[in-house]
Structure formats: structure tokens, C-alpha cells
Amino acid sequence: MIKFVFEKGEKTVSDIIQLLPDHLANQIAAGEVIQRPASAVKELMENAIDAGATDIQLIIKDAGKELIQVVDNGKGMSPMDARMSFERHATSKIRKIEDLFSIATMGFRGEALASVAAVAQVEMKTRRRGDELGTHIVIEGSQVLTQEPAACNEGTSICIKNLFYNVPARRKFLKSNTTEFKNIVEEFTRIVLTYPQLSFKLFHNNVEQMHLPAGSLKARITNTLGTRYEKHLIPVEEKMDGIHIHGFIGKPEIATKTRGNQYFFVNNRFIKSPYLHHAVAKAFEGLIEKEAHPFYAVYFELHPEKVDVNVHPTKQEVKFEDEQLLYAYVQSAVRHALSIHNIAPSIDFSLNPDITNLDALRLPTTDKDIDQVAGGYLTRSFSQGGKAHFIEKKDDLREWKQQKEQLYNPWTGFDSRERSTFSLPGLPDNTIPSKLMFDTAGGDKDHGNASREDFFDQTVPVSAHQSVLQWDEFLLSTVKSGLLLIHKKRALERIAYEKLKKRAVRQQPATQTLLFPASMELSPADGVFLESILPDLAVLGFDISLTGNYTYCIQGVPIDIPSGKELQVLEGIIEQLLHSDQDPTNSVQEKIIQSIARRMSWDHKLEKEESQALIDELFACEQPNYTPDGQQTFTVISKEGLLDLL
């Protein structure tokens, strides 16, 4: 007993610290290792690879909630090893502390099967080569129900049924089947790209999703991610200071708006490293758009002691001995690969054969050639004193000044009548204050649900007496209370959003059929996701059908999407929904509408009629003041506010 003495006397309490029961400790460990069905898939497939399997099958039902089964042709286990594999921290790979820092295999801590058995119903059949009978084990909630000899194939087959059946709170927080299966496909993809020399199959609900025979890395990338990669892969190969960097990067033309097809592997282990990703992105700088993401599958081979893989339960985050050096190596290797394939410029001191074969370099120089060069303009300019930097004065400075004035004069293109219509008190008729910004302090930022009647005289159409000035990304116009300043891109986004919203509510999609249907090939994970949102896209006017292995044919799009922008808009939708912050208050369809509206509103030069029409359409909206994500579309700067700026 322990006595605690308080100010008003003594109080005796019992001991409160005690050891957790094994089954509860296993469930807590399972929460760290097995977070979702994809986590179990990763652990089971890695065990199969460590067992020396050359053919691995992954069978999934109900996105892994009902069944996860991995069948391999590995070396199998003895009856004792089969039973011990479900004990916590039981492993054949660690004998002393030094072994922890020289790991060359996948699983090594002995937590996977114990964690799975704590939160699922597990059945395993395994047989070693040469044994007449194998072993059959059934475990539920860490309790062994059956262990007996059984006839089975060589290798191991593990079934995980009803994941989290005894932890209802964990099962409740699993995502939809589409999301969970997408995560499974991502884990499967990472593993098959790591081991192209092995054969893999993936089944979901009794349908074969992927069949990947053993082959080269290039063939594995093409078979897994799509045939469009076949002609756009650039090999990367560098060896330096004990580090071997190899793999493939994609040409700039296959860079996409969606993330996900970026892979780093260290000693045959997939890792996530924003730091090294920045090195690759830096090498592609200037070759792709800022919003685009290049494809790469880069593999590092280095001594296990130079990398620590035991810093995270999922082992996807590692720590390198010298990250800065590796950053420089990666950037250099990618740049070199781009340069030797004529993608990026490089310093090359050898002349192009087309140049060396010119007559001027190939044929001997004659006296006539020398006289012609000596009498030329360049020779005279650089041979006479003071002539090398002499610039002859011409009477064209006046013309240059006129061009400069026109360039910086915002009234270019407007006649005197239009200028007088746009006159402002205290403002010279040929200048606009440079201080006028969209969120000007002099403007009234809270207009409520402003309507057209609040600003314009309704007795006369706006187009009859309003001049609209286009100034970079802004439109400027006079109103009763002062100066109306509209952000073009945001206004277009609000207009497009409300059009799409009304069509979705009325279930009346407006589709324009493409003269030449567009084809889009996605990664397996992105393809699974696209299939889940096809009904929502159809309501908005998309006509998309599956034509092959994660290859889709776009036959129709909403009428507002300009020709040639179909793939760009669709890729943007997938990117935003997959990787942006998830807002539970918005439905999938709402997010799609917002994404389409944003990508239909790029800033471009408008004709005068288009500028006026944009203003009319904006103030005809139900909520013209803000974009769907809350950015202000316009502001009104009062006359007093304009005077304060002067």
C-alpha cells in the first residue's frame, strides 16, 4: 500500500499501474501498424516477398473489409514457425542490436501478423517444399482456435476476414469502398514497381484487375501505369560514392496536373521524401508548368548503415546519413538524363555535325575570302579606335517615346467620347492611380448581396451608357457611387459555378459532343477514383466510358468547356478531389462543380462586348459578391475614397 499525505490528514489508495493484457496490447499495436485494409495488404505482400515467392496473388473482397487474401509460392513454414509467426516481436531477422541498422528485407520487427490477428479472423495454410503436409491455423482476436496438419500447395496462403470485427469504432471510421480500394491499389502499385522480376495478380470481387508478368522495369511501369508511358520514359543511371541511382523519369509532355505517379525506392523499399521530390522538381524547372507534376520512379541502392528505416511504423519515412549530398546527386542525375535526351540544355564542347560539315569550316580559306572579311562592317567596327562601343544616334528617339507613352497609357484603344463617359472627379483623363488595387482600403468591402439595381440606373441599359475599361486582370467601370473594380477571373468563376449548379439541380446536363473524342490513361489508383465519380460527372455533362485497362474515352463535355481544354479540366478535377483538404460539408458533386468553375475561368483579353456581358452576367448571379471559395469578386471605390488616394 502507498500512503499519500495531504494537508488535512492521510489518505490511503491502492496501486494503479498494471500491465496490459496481451490481447489489449496487441489491439493497441494493431492501431499503429494496421490502420486500414491497405496496411494489411502491405504487410502480407512484404512477407510473401521475404519468403522468396516469385508469383504472388492478392485477392480482395468488399475493398478489404470482408476479405484480404495473399497467396504465394514461397518457401513456406514449419508447424512451429507458423505458430510463432503470430506472436508479438517474433522475427527471424533480428538477433542483436547491430542487425537493426543493416536491414535488407521488408518486414523485420515481427508485429504484422500479431497485429492483424488481434483485430481480424485469420486463416493460414502453409507448406514447405519437400513436406508431405502443411499446417492449417485459424486465429480470432489473438486466440488460436485451430492448428492442425492439412494438405495444401507449397508456399503460404493467408486470409484476413472481417477486419476490425472486434473493434467497432475502428471499423466505423473506415472510408468508403472506393477510397479503401484506391488505397489498396496504391500499395499494390508501389510493391509491384519495386519488384519487376516477380509476377503479380490482383483480384477484386472475383474480377481480375491487374495481371503483371515478370519482366523489365520499363515493361512493369508500362503494364502498371499505362501504355502512354512507353514512349516517354527516360532512363536515369548514375553511380557515385557508394550510391547507385537508377530508374526512369517521364518526359515533360506526360507531366500531369495530378500527383501520385512519383516514386522513390531505397534498397527496394518505397519511401516518401518531400525533400528529394523537391530535387526532382528543381531539375524539371522551366520544362513543365508550375502546377504540373513530373513522373519518376527512382531507385537508390546504398549501404543499409547509411539509411535508417526504423523511424516510422509504416517504414515509409526514412532518415539518410547525408540528405544534402543525396539531394545534389538526385538533382544532378535527373538533369543529366534530361540533357542527354535533348530535353534540357547542357554544356557540350563538341560541335554539332551539321555545323562542322558547313563549307565555311570544311573548305580551305582563300585570299578572296580574307579580303571580303577584312572589308566587312564587323572588321571595320572593331579595328578602328573607339568604334567597338559606338552607337550611332538616329532620330528615332521621338518614335520610341511615343511607343512608350502608348504602352503605359491605359486609355489606348478608346476614343475621346468614351474617355469623357469615364471621367472621374479629381482624376486626370489619361491616367489611373497606381494605388488602385482590388482590395483597396478606400473601397467598401461589405456589399451584402449586391444586385445590379444597387449600382446602375435601371431606366437605361448599362451597355448604352457605360464604358468598361480593361486593365490587366481587372475591369473598371463607373457606377452611381464611384468606381466599380471587378476581378475578371473571379467573376468568371462565379458565373460558371452558378450555371453548372443550376444544371445539376435540374438534372439537365448540357453536353457538347466532341468531334474527335479524347483519350485519357490514368494510374490504377486514379482510375478507380474516376470510376467512382462518373455518375456525378454525367450529371454535369461529361460523357466518359472505359475503353481499356484504366483508359477512358471522353466523348462529351459540358458546353462551357472550351475546345482543347477537356483533359486539362478533367485532370484538375481528379487532382483537387484526391489531394486537396477534404471538406465534409461539401458533397462530391459540389466539389466537382467548384473545380470545373475554377478551371473554366482563366484570365484572358476580353473584347468590349464581352466585358460588358461579363458585368451583366455577374450581377445576374444569386451571389455575385464572392467566388464559391469565398474570394471577393468586385469592390466599389467611392469618390471620397478616390480623393483620399491622391
Side-chain angles (χ1 to χ4, degrees):
M1 303 293 288
I2 301 176
K3 290 185 177 181
F4 293 94
V5 180
F6 298 92
E7 293 182 2
K8 295 183 179 181
E10 297 182 357
K11 185 177 181 180
T12 302
V13 298
S14 61
D15 301 335
I16 59 176
I17 298 178
Q18 38 190 315
L19 293 174
L20 287 171
D22 287 342
H23 72 280
L24 184 55
N26 286 340
Q27 287 188 4
I28 294 174
E32 297 178 354
V33 180
I34 309 299
Q35 300 173 350
R36 53 172 34 100
S39 305
V41 168
K42 176 179 181 292
E43 299 292 349
L44 296 187
M45 292 189 68
E46 287 180 349
N47 285 345
I49 292 169
D50 286 344
T54 58
D55 185 83
I56 300 173
Q57 298 182 45
L58 174 61
I59 302 168
I60 302 295
K61 288 186 179 180
D62 195 20
K65 299 174 184 177
E66 179 183 341
L67 173 68
I68 300 172
Q69 182 178 7
V70 173
V71 181
D72 68 67
N73 63 345
K75 58 187 178 183
M77 290 181 281
S78 67
M80 179 59 70
D81 286 345
R83 176 64 186 85
M84 288 296 294
S85 66
F86 289 97
E87 295 295 326
R88 288 195 69 196
H89 306 306
T91 177
S92 62
K93 301 162 187 174
I94 302 295
R95 291 290 183 270
K96 54 186 183 297
I97 188 63
E98 289 77 14
D99 295 339
L100 194 61
F101 301 99
S102 58
I103 297 297
T105 55
M106 303 300 289
F108 56 85
R109 291 182 300 208
E111 293 184 53
L113 291 182
S115 299
V116 169
V119 293
Q121 299 166 334
V122 181
E123 180 179 359
M124 179 170 72
K125 292 182 179 180
T126 180
R127 180 167 72 91
R128 294 181 299 184
R129 294 183 181 93
D131 290 352
E132 293 184 1
L133 293 175
T135 303
H136 178 214
I137 295 179
V138 178
I139 298 179
E140 289 186 9
S142 298
Q143 299 296 318
V144 179
L145 303 183
T146 302
Q147 179 171 356
E148 58 187 5
C152 57
N153 295 327
E154 291 183 358
T156 302
S157 171
I158 299 182
C159 296
I160 299 175
K161 301 176 182 178
N162 301 322
L163 187 64
F164 299 127
Y165 80 101
N166 56 350
V167 192
R170 293 295 304 275
R171 189 173 179 90
K172 177 182 177 182
F173 282 96
L174 290 178
K175 304 297 183 182
S176 66
N177 283 2
T178 298
T179 301
E180 295 299 343
F181 184 61
K182 180 183 74 69
N183 291 327
I184 290 173
V185 171
E186 286 180 346
E187 287 292 351
F188 182 82
T189 301
R190 293 164 182 169
I191 292 174
V192 301
L193 289 179
T194 310
Y195 297 93
Q197 70 274 20
L198 306 182
S199 174
F200 295 90
K201 289 182 181 180
L202 170 61
F203 297 87
H204 185 220
N205 294 335
N206 300 320
V207 177
E208 184 179 281
Q209 300 289 332
M210 301 177 73
H211 181 193
L212 305 171
S216 65
L217 176 57
K218 185 175 183 179
R220 176 57 53 87
I221 292 174
T222 301
N223 293 335
T224 305
L225 302 180
T227 54
R228 73 189 182 101
Y229 286 89
E230 185 174 5
K231 297 181 180 179
H232 299 286
L233 293 177
I234 300 174
V236 177
E237 184 80 27
E238 295 289 346
K239 289 184 179 180
M240 53 195 96
D241 295 341
I243 300 176
H244 182 201
I245 301 176
H246 63 98
F248 288 92
I249 58 176
K251 293 181 180 179
E253 48 261 46
I254 62 170
T256 62
K257 298 292 183 180
T258 59
R259 288 169 283 183
N261 288 338
Q262 293 81 37
Y263 303 93
F264 284 124
F265 303 91
V266 175
N267 294 341
N268 289 333
R269 185 188 305 277
F270 171 80
I271 68 164
K272 294 179 179 178
S273 177
Y275 186 63
L276 296 181
H277 172 79
H278 185 269
V280 178
K282 198 72 176 175
F284 273 89
E285 193 172 40
L287 301 175
I288 60 176
E289 299 179 8
K290 291 184 178 180
E291 300 81 8
H293 304 276
F295 165 80
Y296 58 81
V298 179
Y299 299 73
F300 305 93
E301 293 179 11
L302 63 164
H303 197 280
E305 293 183 356
K306 294 183 178 294
V307 55
D308 184 4
V309 300
N310 196 30
V311 297
H312 193 271
T314 64
K315 300 187 284 290
Q316 288 186 359
E317 297 177 13
V318 300
K319 184 175 180 59
F320 296 100
E321 186 177 68
D322 192 341
E323 283 191 333
Q324 293 183 348
L325 182 63
L326 193 59
Y327 180 100
Y329 283 167
V330 171
Q331 187 175 357
S332 174
V334 174
R335 281 184 173 172
H336 182 244
L338 290 170
S339 65
I340 63 178
H341 286 80
N342 298 323
I343 304 298
S346 63
I347 299 176
D348 189 357
F349 294 99
S350 61
L351 287 176
N352 188 310
D354 294 336
I355 298 176
T356 56
N357 290 330
L358 292 175
D359 291 345
L361 298 177
R362 184 172 52 84
L363 299 178
T365 304
T366 63
D367 294 337
K368 182 179 179 181
D369 295 331
I370 296 175
D371 292 339
Q372 288 180 346
V373 173
Y377 168 76
L378 289 177
T379 303
R380 294 198 310 270
S381 298
F382 284 89
S383 60
Q384 298 178 18
K387 290 289 186 179
H389 303 286
F390 176 75
I391 300 177
E392 183 180 358
K393 291 185 178 181
K394 294 184 179 181
D395 193 19
D396 58 358
L397 294 180
R398 183 180 304 172
E399 181 181 353
W400 161 247
K401 289 180 180 179
Q402 291 176 353
Q403 293 177 352
K404 181 180 178 182
E405 289 177 358
Q406 292 177 0
L407 179 64
Y408 289 97
N409 185 357
W411 297 102
T412 303
F414 290 85
D415 55 31
S416 58
R417 180 182 59 81
E418 291 174 322
R419 294 191 187 189
S420 62
T421 306
F422 197 87
S423 61
L424 293 173
L427 188 65
D429 80 335
N430 63 341
T431 60
I432 291 180
S434 60
K435 295 180 181 179
L436 288 183
M437 300 300 290
F438 183 58
D439 291 327
T440 304
D444 179 9
K445 293 188 178 182
D446 186 12
H447 305 293
N449 288 332
S451 66
R452 195 170 180 273
E453 291 80 357
D454 296 328
F455 302 106
F456 305 111
D457 184 357
Q458 295 304 298
T459 60
V460 181
V462 175
S463 57
H465 62 77
Q466 288 296 126
S467 292
V468 181
L469 172 64
Q470 190 166 182
W471 183 35
D472 292 335
E473 68 266 34
F474 302 113
L475 294 179
L476 296 91
S477 180
T478 52
V479 292
K480 292 187 292 185
S481 57
L483 179 66
L484 174 65
L485 190 61
I486 297 177
H487 194 286
K488 286 192 300 183
K489 189 176 184 300
R490 296 178 188 177
L492 288 167
E493 182 178 346
R494 164 51 65 176
I495 295 168
Y497 170 80
E498 294 208 2
K499 285 182 179 179
L500 292 167
K501 187 75 173 178
K502 290 177 181 177
R503 293 174 195 160
V505 171
R506 297 171 183 169
Q507 297 285 312
Q508 296 176 343
T511 303
Q512 59 178 350
T513 302
L514 301 182
L515 182 60
F516 300 102
S519 178
M520 181 171 64
E521 197 166 357
L522 298 175
S523 66
D526 289 350
V528 169
F529 179 76
L530 177 61
E531 290 180 24
S532 70
I533 63 173
L534 284 180
D536 296 294
L537 292 171
V539 171
L540 297 173
F542 284 95
D543 183 5
I544 304 173
S545 59
L546 177 65
T547 58
N549 189 21
Y550 301 112
T551 302
Y552 301 86
C553 179
I554 307 171
Q555 297 175 320
V557 295
I559 59 175
D560 307 284
I561 297 180
S563 177
K565 298 284 185 179
E566 301 85 9
L567 292 179
Q568 180 180 342
V569 171
L570 200 53
E571 287 179 349
I573 293 172
I574 298 173
E575 163 69 10
Q576 181 171 342
L577 268 64
L578 276 178
H579 303 287
S580 61
D581 295 333
Q582 298 299 320
D583 183 1
T585 61
N586 287 338
S587 64
V588 173
Q589 190 177 92
E590 173 69 17
K591 295 173 185 175
I592 294 174
I593 292 174
Q594 291 184 12
S595 179
I596 296 175
R598 185 174 296 112
R599 283 159 181 80
M600 287 168 52
S601 58
W602 56 90
D603 187 20
H604 60 285
K605 185 73 173 177
L606 298 176
E607 299 297 334
K608 294 180 183 180
E609 295 78 7
E610 293 177 317
S611 300
Q612 187 58 64
L614 184 145
I615 296 177
D616 292 339
E617 288 188 74
L618 176 63
F619 285 98
C621 292
E622 294 180 2
Q623 172 52 278
N625 303 68
Y626 300 99
T627 62
D629 58 355
Q631 291 182 302
Q632 196 174 348
T633 58
F634 71 90
T635 189
V636 175
I637 306 174
S638 65
K639 297 177 181 178
E640 294 76 12
L642 288 171
L643 291 174
D644 291 340
L645 294 174
L646 300 177

